[in-house]
Amino acid sequence: MEILIIVLAGILIGASVYLMLSKSLLRIILGTGILSHGILLMLLTMGGLKRGGIPVLDDSVQQYADPLPQAMLLTVIVITFALTAYMLVVAIRVYRELGTDDVEQLKGVPREDD
Amino acid sequence: MTLIHFAILLPVIAAVGIGILYRFYKKVHLGWFVLPIPAVITVYLATLIPAVSNNQVIYETMQFMPRVGMNFDVYIDGLSLLFAILIAGIGTLVVLYSVGYLSKQEKLGNFYVYLLIFMTAMLGVVLNDNVLMLYLFWELTSISSFLLIAYWFTRERSIYGAQKSMLITMFGGFLMLGGFIILSLITDTYSIRGMIEQVPAIQEDPLSMLAIVLILFGAFTKSAQFPFYIWLPDAMEAPTPVSAYLHSATMVKAGLYLVARFTPLFAFSELWVWSILGVGLITLVWAAFNAIKQDDLKAVLAFSTVSQLGLIMSLLGAGALAVQTGAAEGLFTVAVVAAVFHLINHATFKGALFMIIGIVDHETGTRSLKKLGGLMTIMPISFTMTLITSLSMAGIPPFNGFLSKELFLEAMFALREADFSVLADVSVLFPLLAIVGSIFTFVYSVILIRGIFMGKQMPATPKKPQEAPALMLISPMILTLLVVVFGLFPNLLSGSIIDPAAMSILNTSEPLNTEIYHWHGWDSPALWATIAIIAAGALMYLFRDFWKPVYRLGADAFTLNYLYDQGLIYSRLGAERITDGYMTGYIRSYLIYIFGAFVIFSLITLINTDISFDWGVTAPIALPEMLIILIILAAVTAMLITRSRMVSIIMFSTIGFSLSLLFVFFRAVDLALTQLAVEAITTALFLLAFFHLPKRSRHEEHRRFKLNNLMISAAVGVVATVIGLAAYSNRLFDSISQFYIDNVYDLAAGGNMVNVILVDFRGLDTLFETLVFGIAGLGVFVLLKLRVTKEGENKYEEHP
């Protein structure tokens, strides 16, 4: 199972790189979202999967799943969300001000002598 | 801090006061206040002469940075004292001269502050025993020289000259520092004395060759030797007192000092001896040859300085042979004596010449040889002084230049008799080069005298010529007087100054008992050489119109200046081209660099480490999980190929929701909940943004573009997977989670371990995560609400 999930995470990371290398702002933002998904899976797998019960104290359970990666991932999810929302608004603003979402055309500020 | 430290630092300390004084008090010429400083130092240094000539050395130390071994260790022997007296003494005369030369309208505060800094720096260089401290003062001379050359900073030529001298001397200085560091690594000391005691260790170490080359770079750049002399003629843009002081008498001799100081250390090396000798002689001939074609008086003197420095350098090279063969044999000790003697002589006559030319410039308004002539009757005092100093430079008896040139020729003839393993056949070249150089020297000396003072008087000078005021004449007069006195009574100096200096170069304590005579007897080859030089020089001068076209043969394209300028231009162009090459301005290029570096470095690491895949017990795979994984894969594929932005947003949410399902299977309930909520909001956000973003979700892309991206992303994916697998299968320690599991209730009174970790065990993370969230919210608000118009705070430029 772990190996499968790591491979899946690798595929997600690869796909996110592909999306981030494209020209459209929307696809770049989607790419960062996918990247964070891949990393989430990767991190969670490092703690082992499906070992023991849900990490909520219960007298009948002998072994719990590792709670530490889960706590960390929770933080990661929230931060990623904040970042995605912000980037999305930046993209909207860029499109409104500059009239394009093609990053190939967003190249520096025009100099006065141009 | 002892008296001697104070003497060295006095100019810098005084510079502060001088700067303040200049701001508030402008009635009296500032130079009068500066004058006592070098005078006091000169007198103080002169009191040390008796002790030093009795073979005592003065050693004082002052802690500066003891941890790194960088201490202000003053070491005074004959050599340092000679240089220090030259610096302070000529400094006094130059300050006196500058009072007459610079008018009160100039920025005198700047001038004297720079000059005083330079004085301290130069005294620090010659009186130091610690190489790190020596380097510090060495660079301070470069910096203050830079400031002084660019004194009239509104002139383009001044800036050019200052930059050039800075680049070249700093280049040499840095290399010299490298040489010092190698030396200190070999000998484990920063003290020059300490290094000299360990000569055998240096001799055995192969790195000492590198140290020699590096230190010679420093000496050759500073002392304007071939091919680094090119900065000196351009440094003539400085005010004339500066040229007289820095660029004839003191700073350019710092390289000579360095060579003389390190001679006991490196004299064993053939490389040291021959490169100094060879470079010195080449510089001598080449610069003397070039001095003749100059029209500007200061340019003539600049090339003449370079040539004379080459002469002294070659003498020091021959003197190093004396250390090699043992001073007792005395074959080449004459070279060392000649070097020291000519050093003094050159400082006197060249300083005087610069000052006189400054006077001529000041009184006629021009320095061009073409516009000057026939000033003999108008400026009789200047003429007399020029006559004496130029003849001394040319090596005519009875002036001091004759004596040192005679010794020089003798030393070069002596080289022929020496037993060289390497260069036996070419040893005849040395006296030949020396004679040729001396002939050229004779010719330009005559040109100086005849060109300015004889012939017809030119009516076209910008100012009406007249004799200079007494104030400006005092300093050159004193120097000219010294030229005559040293010429007539050379042995005045020999016991007190020349011998101790020569003995410290040779690193011997045996007294030399030098005696310098005018008359060496009929059988002296130097005598006949001198006669030949005068005869040939006179002939060359008389028939100069016949051979002067020689100078037009060499095209400008092959001069060293041209090479230097082109080198500067092309290094800038090259840097621009390289930078433009990779700084494309496209975010995609930078991402490719980042991902490429990630892939390459990870691959190198993976190849170099033995990774083993051993994943012990893995969890079983159940059908529902398999289904979800397949859904995620399908969604990813759809996202990559779709053109519609709606489809890609929906596929993105599909991946997110499937992930939260996976989390449920993986016993991460809180995670699943959060992911569910966050994914829902993210989807809503994307849909909100839907109307504000352009209709297309992707732009037309070339196949090659896609193929490149595909290759890069595949590589990143594969590398990430391999790293993940390797990390998973090589666990070194147990998790620390058991602590949380055991103590969650006892310590934190909670059952939900994830939540307790978030708010209790690791609550700080959560605090700042909240902060991130808040900042993002504020940012979104500001981005949407704040409108700065294009006319407004120039936040946005005009866009087409």
Side-chain angles (χ1 to χ4, degrees), chain B residues 238-283:
Chain B
T240 303
V242 172
S243 309
Y245 189 33
L246 275 69
H247 305 129
S248 75
T250 55
M251 189 180 90
V252 287
K253 296 210 167 96
L256 298 176
Y257 169 78
L258 195 74
V259 169
R261 184 46 90 204
F262 280 86
T263 293
L265 206 57
F266 289 135
F268 67 84
S269 152
E270 303 274 314
L271 176 69
W272 175 264
V273 173
W274 296 116
S275 48
I276 294 173
L277 195 58
V279 169
L281 279 174
I282 291 169
T283 314

Side-chain angles (χ1 to χ4, degrees), chain B residues 12 117-118 120-121 135-145:
Chain B
V12 154
I117 294 175
F118 172 78
T120 284
Y135 173 73
L136 185 87
F137 284 116
W138 184 275
E139 291 298 29
L140 200 57
T141 64
S142 295
I143 292 166
S144 48
S145 160

Side-chain angles (χ1 to χ4, degrees), chain B residues 326-543:
Chain B
E329 281 183 39
L331 189 57
F332 301 111
T333 28
V334 63
V336 179
V337 172
V340 175
F341 193 38
H342 197 69
L343 197 85
I344 303 169
N345 294 341
H346 177 252
T348 53
F349 66 67
K350 193 53 65 64
L353 269 174
F354 264 110
M355 290 177 188
I356 297 161
I357 276 162
I359 290 171
V360 170
D361 185 13
H362 206 262
E363 301 304 327
T364 64
T366 180
R367 290 198 313 246
S368 170
L369 269 171
K370 283 182 182 149
K371 294 184 191 158
L372 289 167
L375 294 174
M376 184 172 18
T377 49
I378 301 167
M379 305 171 79
I381 306 173
S382 303
F383 168 66
T384 316
M385 294 193 297
T386 313
L387 193 66
I388 293 171
T389 47
S390 296
L391 289 181
S392 174
M393 179 161 77
I396 307 293
F399 305 113
N400 58 2
F402 166 70
L403 300 166
S404 46
K405 188 148 287 180
E406 193 96 316
L407 290 173
F408 166 60
L409 291 170
E410 251 179 49
M412 290 299 137
F413 279 117
L415 275 180
R416 226 178 30 174
E417 291 155 23
D419 177 29
F420 302 133
S421 48
V422 233
L423 294 167
D425 296 332
V426 294
S427 59
V428 70
L429 266 180
F430 298 117
L432 201 66
L433 279 175
I435 289 171
V436 172
S438 302
I439 293 172
F440 288 132
T441 310
F442 183 85
V443 174
Y444 70 70
S445 303
V446 176
I447 286 177
L448 270 186
I449 302 169
R450 301 246 347 188
I452 309 173
F453 294 101
M454 298 192 180
K456 291 200 305 272
Q457 192 192 336
M458 295 282 187
T461 51
K463 276 159 94 179
K464 194 168 160 35
Q466 54 173 21
E467 187 56 271
L471 191 57
M472 287 174 82
L473 288 172
I474 296 173
S475 300
M477 234 186 258
I478 293 172
L479 287 173
T480 312
L481 199 67
L482 287 178
V483 168
V484 177
V485 170
F486 293 162
L488 295 179
F489 310 103
N491 293 319
L492 274 181
L493 291 175
S494 59
S496 53
I497 292 181
I498 296 178
D499 276 359
M503 279 154 70
S504 34
I505 297 176
L506 294 169
N507 196 27
T508 167
S509 55
E510 290 170 44
L512 292 172
N513 296 326
T514 315
E515 286 194 45
I516 300 165
Y517 297 113
H518 280 265
W519 185 247
H520 293 250
W522 289 109
D523 53 347
S524 154
L527 176 75
W528 297 104
T530 310
I531 293 171
I533 287 165
I534 295 172
L539 283 176
M540 277 187 81
Y541 179 75
L542 289 176
F543 296 104

Side-chain angles (χ1 to χ4, degrees), chain B residues 681-760:
Chain B
I681 304 171
T682 312
T683 311
L685 269 183
F686 271 108
L687 289 176
L688 266 179
F690 192 78
F691 293 104
H692 298 288
L693 283 174
K695 295 280 172 285
R696 289 172 306 164
S697 84
R698 68 195 295 176
H699 294 267
E700 283 305 316
E701 290 155 356
H702 294 293
R703 182 167 294 158
R704 233 180 97 198
F705 182 89
K706 284 193 219 167
L707 201 68
N708 278 342
N709 290 358
L710 196 68
M711 271 161 51
I712 294 163
S713 46
V716 172
V718 169
V719 167
T721 313
V722 174
I723 291 175
L725 290 175
Y728 180 74
S729 56
N730 292 289
R731 294 159 156 270
L732 298 177
F733 306 105
D734 284 336
S735 168
I736 56 166
S737 307
Q738 199 54 46
F739 170 81
Y740 298 118
I741 294 168
D742 292 341
N743 294 302
V744 68
Y745 193 79
D746 300 335
L747 289 181
N752 186 331
M753 293 164 200
V754 176
N755 288 5
V756 168
I757 290 175
L758 276 177
V759 298
D760 198 315

Side-chain angles (χ1 to χ4, degrees), chain A residues 1-34 36-38 40-42 44-58 64-79 81-86 88-93 95-98 100-110 112, chain B residues 584-588 591-592 595 615 617-621 625-626 629 632-633 636 639-640 642 645 648 652 655-656 659 662-663 665-671 674-675 678-679 681-682 685-686 689 692-694 697-701 705-706 709-710 712-713 716-717 720-721 724-725 727-728 731 735-737 740-741 744-745 750-754 757-758 762 769 772-773 776 779-780 783-784 786-787 796-799:
Chain A
M1 188 75 219
E2 279 88 346
I3 299 160
L4 199 63
I5 296 295
I6 288 174
V7 172
L8 179 67
I11 290 170
L12 283 177
I13 290 172
S16 76
V17 170
Y18 185 82
L19 285 171
M20 276 193 278
L21 287 175
S22 61
K23 291 177 181 173
S24 155
L25 273 178
L26 183 69
R27 279 167 77 83
I28 291 176
I29 299 170
L30 290 172
T32 57
I34 302 279
S36 83
H37 288 336
L40 282 179
L41 277 180
M42 196 74 103
L44 192 67
T45 318
M46 290 303 144
L49 295 175
K50 300 207 278 186
R51 308 250 165 82
I54 297 164
V56 175
L57 213 56
D58 187 348
Y64 298 100
D66 196 341
L68 204 54
Q70 296 190 17
M72 284 176 179
L73 290 188
L74 217 65
T75 316
V76 171
I77 289 174
V78 175
I79 290 178
F81 168 65
L83 215 63
T84 309
Y86 186 74
L88 209 53
V89 176
V90 169
I92 292 170
R93 187 68 193 263
Y95 182 60
R96 252 191 227 163
E97 298 285 340
L98 307 178
T100 180
D101 72 329
D102 185 351
V103 285
E104 302 277 291
Q105 289 174 25
L106 305 175
K107 196 188 160 195
V109 180
E112 275 173 30
Chain B
T584 57
Y586 297 114
I587 189 167
R588 182 164 173 272
L591 283 176
I592 288 175
F595 291 132
W615 24 70
V617 195
T618 51
I621 305 167
E625 295 156 3
M626 201 58 221
I629 289 171
I632 293 179
L633 285 178
V636 166
M639 245 179 114
L640 292 184
T642 182
R645 54 190 176 142
S648 46
F652 179 70
I655 298 171
L659 221 56
L662 269 184
F663 290 155
F665 290 121
F666 296 155
R667 319 275 195 266
V669 261
D670 301 282
L671 216 52
T674 319
Q675 176 67 24
V678 164
E679 204 52 50
I681 304 171
T682 312
L685 269 183
F686 271 108
H692 298 288
L693 283 174
S697 84
R698 68 195 295 176
H699 294 267
E700 283 305 316
E701 290 155 356
F705 182 89
K706 284 193 219 167
N709 290 358
L710 196 68
I712 294 163
S713 46
V716 172
T721 313
L725 290 175
Y728 180 74
R731 294 159 156 270
S735 168
I736 56 166
S737 307
Y740 298 118
I741 294 168
V744 68
Y745 193 79
N752 186 331
M753 293 164 200
V754 176
I757 290 175
L758 276 177
R762 305 185 56 88
E769 163 203 342
V772 168
F773 207 70
V780 167
L783 269 180
L784 289 177
L786 194 67
R787 283 265 172 273
Y796 294 106
E797 304 272 345
E798 206 66 45
H799 292 294

